[in-house]
Amino acid sequence: MWGPEGLDELEAELLGPPEALKGKDVLEIGAGAAQCARWLAAQGARPVALDISHRQLQHALRIGGAFPLVCADAGALPFADGSFDLACSAYGALPFVAEPVLVLREVRRVLRPGGRFVFSVTHPIRWALPDEPGPEGLTVSSSYFDRTPYVEQDDQGRAVYVEHHRTLGDRVRDVVAAGFKLVDLVEPEWPAWNTSEWGGWSPLRGNLIPGTAIFVCERD
Ligand SMILES: C[S@@+](CC[C@H](N)C(=O)[O-])C[C@H]1O[C@@H](n2cnc3c(N)ncnc32)[C@H](O)[C@@H]1O
């Protein structure tokens, strides 16, 4: 699943036709509980699920799956050049790093020639709107151009959650600067079957503005 709209890789085929995944080495970046890696393994691929959070990988371990889990920073991938045919990330790592181009360069390095990296992030337009599912979530409340990160701190003032904003243009420039070719930018539409409402997600907003941006990148 690429995002809260519910766009499924089986339907989207952004990594290629599901039958072509068989035997492919696929790196999942910011895997969390490794939902994507689990799906990839079920298609016959050979996934590796990577996340910086040991706790997230413990959830992945508990749920299960016959593939490696790697605890590492996406900005310093512990793999040799050209180790993977494909890489993917559903809302993983990229929104949470100050210099996403470093992650993109690392992913390019570990991909084989012709490899594809597909990643989804919150659509940048959402930054300008409050995170509310109702009508109050439809009025611009801050600048789309303000790159000041959103930070939550603990009692000692230490950052415990940081989310960075990149405009759509910033993201395209990052992809190009990392040496990738951008082959598609998918903005999934809210499907009629999805009636869920939570956080900033709802049919009301989903029918009016995009929620997810999916970048399909290729290395030569
Ligand atoms: C919003 S969750 C997405 C998890 C999963 N992809 C999913 O679809 O449910 C973001 C994940 O990125 C991971 N992450 C954040 N910064 C990272 C980094 N620098 N390197 C690797 N993983 C990172 C977090 O630990 C978290 O598991």
Side-chain angles (χ1 to χ4, degrees):
M1 206 78 96
W2 289 108
E5 296 83 2
L7 179 65
D8 197 296
E9 173 58 11
L10 205 53
E11 176 193 339
E13 298 193 6
L14 301 179
L15 293 167
E19 57 277 12
L21 293 171
K22 217 177 171 69
K24 292 277 193 325
D25 294 308
V26 190
L27 175 62
E28 185 185 5
I29 302 279
Q35 295 90 324
C36 300
R38 209 164 288 112
W39 181 83
L40 286 160
Q43 309 309 308
R46 291 195 300 249
V48 172
L50 177 137
D51 202 284
I52 200 168
S53 161
H54 184 251
R55 182 65 71 89
Q56 285 287 354
L57 294 175
Q58 280 180 322
H59 289 304
L61 199 58
R62 184 177 42 80
I63 298 167
F67 47 84
L69 304 174
V70 176
C71 192
D73 183 349
L77 296 174
F79 307 109
D81 297 0
S83 300
F84 296 94
D85 302 301
L86 295 164
C88 62
S89 184
Y91 282 73
L94 286 154
F96 311 104
V97 297
E99 293 187 87
V101 72
L102 300 182
V103 172
L104 290 162
R105 282 199 187 118
E106 272 295 86
V107 176
R108 185 181 180 280
R109 180 183 67 73
V110 302
L111 278 175
R112 298 184 179 122
R116 200 168 245 227
F117 178 36
V118 184
F119 69 91
S120 63
V121 291
T122 306
H123 197 289
I125 191 63
R126 294 255 165 162
W127 193 256
L129 301 155
D131 222 6
E132 299 287 344
E136 63 280 27
L138 298 174
T139 305
V140 169
S141 59
S142 58
S143 170
Y144 169 77
F145 300 104
D146 183 357
R147 273 83 159 180
T148 310
Y150 169 79
V151 181
E152 288 174 13
Q153 298 176 328
D154 66 11
D155 297 344
Q156 277 82 50
R158 285 178 303 213
V160 288
Y161 181 90
V162 180
E163 201 173 319
H164 293 270
H165 170 57
R166 310 287 285 153
T167 66
L168 206 50
D170 293 338
R171 290 256 178 240
V172 171
R173 277 185 291 280
D174 288 343
V175 164
V176 173
F180 276 114
K181 184 168 76 174
L182 182 64
V183 296
D184 202 354
L185 170 50
V186 180
E187 297 165 298
E189 293 191 29
W190 194 269
W193 61 260
N194 191 345
T195 53
S196 339
E197 242 186 58
W198 79 103
W201 303 94
S202 63
L204 173 75
R205 291 185 96 200
N207 282 315
L208 296 170
I209 48 163
T212 300
I214 312 172
F215 294 79
V216 183
C217 313
E218 269 176 14
R219 69 150 295 178
D220 47 23

